[in-house]
Structures are given as structure tokens and as C-alpha cells.
Amino acid sequence: MRWEFRTPSAPKTKAKERFCCATASATCGSIAFVRIDDDDDALPPLVGKKEEVKEEVKEEEEEEIMSKEDVMKFINECYDEKSSLFAGAPGHDGHLLYTLSAIQIFVLYECVQEQLSEERAKKICTAISKLQSKEDGSFAGDEWGEVDTRFSYCAFSALSLLAHGMGEECFLDDGLEALKIGGSDDEKKEDNQDKNRSKALGIMRKIVDVDKGCEFIMKCRNFDGGFGSTPGGESHAGQIFVCVGALQICNQLDLLYTADDDEEEENDKLAWWLAERQVKVGGLNGRPEKLPDVCYSWWVLSSLAALKKKHWIDLDKLKAFILRCQDDISGGISDRPDDEPDVYHTFFGIAGLSLMKHEGLEEIDPIYALPVRSVRKIGIESDWY
């Protein structure tokens, strides 16, 4: 018996054209392993037949595989000195989206401090702070000013990963000496989880206005309990993920529960909206009256996981839907059965299966979209998984 990682056959494009999918494919490689039993043609439902597996492995061996060094070299070439953010490709403008992707990949490869100098890490933090509006707490994605709750999540997630990954010492000479924990009886009673979270959040508060940022997110909440990209924007499962994730990172998820205890239905409105995204075939959609799509196996289920309401949907039917979207010949997962697979949907399909504890997969963190073992190595321990 042996274990091998399976990915869909990727188009033969240059490495420098693949950065937009780098985080997805790297995370897939970190959480997805498939058992292959040489004495049995029956494989777990996440792959095709043994002969197809062997043939694809043989073909993949003939293709060039990017080493860690090549990946790191390319990502660092994408750093934009002008904006102090990472871009989607060398020579492009820096953006919050790609900055978070770069940091996530460093966390995956366990090389945050190796790849980011203290000077560059601080420049990134300063750049992120400049993208926050002092008026309403929103974040723009880059210097051109587009505002979206996606960018709020990117900012808070990037800062949290940097605070944990770089370590407190990186930020002490910037007036953060008071963050050292120890002294009072209450502080000594905190466990490591609370200490690490408190330190990271303290660092984040020195860089951006966390409270105002969360206030903006709450302004994007709608009457149906969901969230849009901006105030008044239509509720969408993807936007709900970023809003719930951002609030959780900032330890302000309790803002969702403002009603009195006897108004439980009001407090659960968001969870109900998410649960109602499941359609008859078992898959999930992103908005009412839309077709199911494998990607929402992540956007919806991760939010329900953060709210501790995964059991509100039929997990067995969802799992069956994802597995039906596989390509048994070339590998990978598509948006719907019989469509063409791609890295994007393969990641979200595997991530959704991981949230449902599918056999052979490592656990994925529903907030940071990274393997649990990866975030634990930088000190992130929480109860949402």
C-alpha cells in the first residue's frame, strides 16, 4: 500500500502564468492524499481506476515539476517595490489578493521568516494600513481604490498570518513592547491559544483599525442575514465566507448575535440562509435560484463550520455530489458533473471534502483556508475545527 497525491492534469503553461492558482494547488497538495492498494482494483471514490492512476503518474513524471526553490523565486519576483505588495505576475501592480496568496504559500512551505525579512514584512503591513479608509474602515484592494469585503478579509488574514508567522519580536521595535504577555494573574491563566491570538490581534490593532474594519463589514449585512461586497450589495456565499472569516480572525464573530436570547431565529438567520443553499441533487449554490457548483462546497460549508452549524445540511448528499464531479480519466474536479475539471474547483472540492472529514484527507482550517497542521505550526489554535 502506498499514498500518492493526485491533481488534475494542468495545461502546459509557463510557471509564471500560474500564480493565480498557486495557493489553491499548493493547498490541495498539502491536504489531499489518496491510498493506492496494489492488490485491489477498487480505489477510494476520490480517484479513478488503478491503471489510470499509474498511467497519469507516469505522464506526470515526464513533465517538469516546480521545486520549492522555483516557487519561492517566482513569488519573490512578483513583489512590487512600489506598492510593497505582491502582484499576480512580475512587473504587475501589487494587490491585497496576491499578497495574501503569497503569504499563504509561505505558510504552506513553512518558510515565512525564511522568505520575508523583517523589513519587507513591516513594509507589507504599512502598505495594508494605507489601503484602509479612515472614514468607514473599508479596505481597497490596491491604489486604484476598489472597495470590497473580500479585501477586508485579505487584509485581516494577511496581517494575522504575518503576526503569527513572523513572531512578536519582529514588531517590538515599532512600539509594540506592551504586547508581551505575563505579569497579571489573569494573563497567566490564559492558555497558549488565547495568548497567541491576543498577541496577534494586538499587533493587528497597532497596524489597522480593527474595530472600524469590522463595523464596515457589519454594514454590508442584509435583511436576509447574508453579506454583500459593499453596503446594499446582494448576499452571496463567497462574500459571506470573507465576512465571517474576517470577523472570526478579529475575534468579533459575536457581532452576528445581537438579538436577545428569546429571538434565536433572528440570531440564526445567517446559518439558515447558508443551509438553504443546498439543492435537491446535494450540491450547494451561491445565491437563491442558482445552479449548484462545487466551489460553494467551500464557501458555504466553511462559514457553517465557523458558525458550528455544519450539521444543518445533508453532508452525505453534498459529499456524493462532489465525488460525482470528478474526472475519472484525467483527474480533478469540475463545477458540475461531466464538465471540464480545473484547479480552482479541484481545490474547493477537496477542501469541502476535508471539512466533512473525508477519509485520506488532512483537516483544513475553515477560516484561513490552509491545512490545520500548517496554521498550528505558526501558533494558530482555535476551536472552529
Side-chain angles (χ1 to χ4, degrees):
M1 181 183 295
R2 65 191 188 280
W3 292 83
E4 293 184 0
F5 168 57
R6 295 290 313 285
T7 59
S9 300
K12 292 185 178 180
T13 56
K14 294 182 180 179
K16 294 185 179 181
E17 298 172 6
R18 300 177 184 171
F19 185 55
C20 63
C21 292
T23 306
S25 57
T27 304
C28 281
S30 297
I31 66 173
F33 291 86
V34 179
R35 186 179 67 186
I36 300 177
D37 193 329
D38 292 320
D39 299 324
D40 189 355
D41 285 340
L43 295 178
L46 196 56
V47 296
K49 293 186 178 297
K50 181 174 65 177
E51 291 79 12
E52 295 166 351
V53 174
K54 290 182 177 179
E55 183 64 28
E56 184 174 339
V57 170
K58 181 179 179 181
E59 292 176 0
E60 289 175 352
E61 289 174 349
E62 297 174 356
E63 296 181 3
E64 181 181 0
I65 299 176
M66 290 184 69
S67 65
K68 172 185 174 181
E69 290 71 24
D70 290 335
V71 174
M72 295 303 115
K73 180 176 182 294
F74 171 65
I75 292 176
N76 284 307
E77 287 176 353
C78 293
Y79 182 73
D80 176 29
E81 295 285 353
K82 179 183 176 182
S83 65
S84 297
L85 299 170
F86 286 91
H92 289 211
D93 293 336
H95 196 285
L96 262 179
L97 287 170
Y98 301 113
T99 299
L100 175 58
S101 292
I103 295 170
Q104 286 174 318
I105 295 171
F106 292 153
V107 172
L108 281 169
Y109 278 97
E110 301 174 17
C111 61
V112 178
Q113 295 186 28
E114 173 188 329
Q115 295 298 322
L116 286 177
S117 64
E118 290 191 2
E119 179 183 7
R120 177 168 288 188
K122 291 174 182 176
K123 284 184 176 180
I124 292 172
C125 291
T126 299
I128 292 175
S129 70
K130 291 180 179 179
L131 293 175
Q132 185 177 31
S133 167
K134 291 182 172 60
E135 295 181 4
D136 63 9
S138 65
F139 284 88
D142 57 20
E143 63 178 315
W144 306 110
E146 180 188 5
V147 171
D148 192 307
T149 47
R150 290 177 300 155
F151 308 144
S152 298
Y153 170 80
C154 289
F156 289 139
S157 184
L159 290 175
S160 179
L161 292 173
L162 281 176
H164 284 96
M166 293 300 296
E168 183 185 16
E169 292 75 13
C170 172
F171 303 94
L172 289 182
D173 60 353
D174 286 353
L176 303 180
E177 293 85 349
L179 293 176
K180 278 190 171 296
I181 289 187
S184 71
D185 291 338
D186 290 338
E187 288 174 332
K188 290 178 180 178
K189 290 179 181 178
E190 289 183 344
D191 58 21
N192 288 334
Q193 171 184 324
D194 291 335
K195 287 182 179 181
N196 289 334
R197 187 184 297 179
S198 296
K199 287 182 180 181
L201 193 53
I203 292 171
M204 290 169 60
R205 289 184 178 281
K206 294 290 184 178
I207 299 168
V208 296
D209 191 329
V210 171
D211 294 333
K212 185 166 280 190
C214 291
E215 287 175 9
F216 173 78
I217 290 173
M218 292 305 299
K219 290 177 182 177
C220 298
R221 194 176 192 189
N222 295 315
F223 70 93
D224 56 13
F227 288 86
S229 58
T230 53
E234 181 183 7
S235 295
H236 188 281
Q239 303 297 152
I240 290 172
F241 161 76
V242 296
C243 291
V244 170
L247 293 174
Q248 181 69 279
I249 289 171
C250 298
N251 200 27
Q252 296 197 31
L253 199 61
D254 59 332
L255 292 176
L256 297 176
Y257 306 106
T258 56
D260 297 331
D261 291 339
D262 58 351
E263 299 179 23
E264 185 176 349
E265 183 176 341
E266 185 69 23
N267 282 330
D268 287 338
K269 188 178 286 187
L270 174 58
W272 277 116
W273 190 94
L274 291 166
E276 289 170 354
R277 302 282 59 76
Q278 189 165 38
V279 299
K280 290 182 179 180
V281 295
L284 302 164
N285 60 28
R287 293 174 290 167
E289 304 301 323
K290 295 294 183 178
L291 292 173
D293 189 314
V294 159
C295 70
Y296 297 113
S297 304
W298 169 258
W299 302 123
V300 172
L301 198 56
S302 59
S303 298
L304 285 172
L307 299 174
K308 296 180 171 50
K309 297 287 194 301
K310 281 195 303 181
H311 60 285
W312 279 26
I313 65 171
D314 190 326
L315 298 177
D316 290 334
K317 289 186 68 174
L318 175 59
K319 184 182 296 187
F321 174 78
I322 297 172
L323 296 174
R324 286 199 304 273
C325 294
Q326 295 180 96
D327 187 317
D328 292 335
I329 297 176
S330 64
I333 300 174
S334 59
D335 57 348
R336 283 178 283 277
D338 300 323
D339 284 352
E340 190 70 20
D342 56 65
V343 172
Y344 179 86
H345 289 92
T346 300
F347 165 67
F348 288 122
I350 292 175
L353 290 171
S354 174
L355 286 174
M356 291 182 281
K357 301 186 183 300
H358 185 76
E359 181 183 0
L361 299 181
E362 290 193 22
E363 287 184 291
I364 189 170
D365 185 291
I367 303 301
Y368 292 95
L370 290 166
V372 168
R373 64 178 173 84
S374 295
V375 295
R376 280 179 175 167
K377 286 185 177 180
I378 60 172
I380 296 176
E381 282 277 5
S382 298
D383 60 0
W384 50 69
Y385 24 82

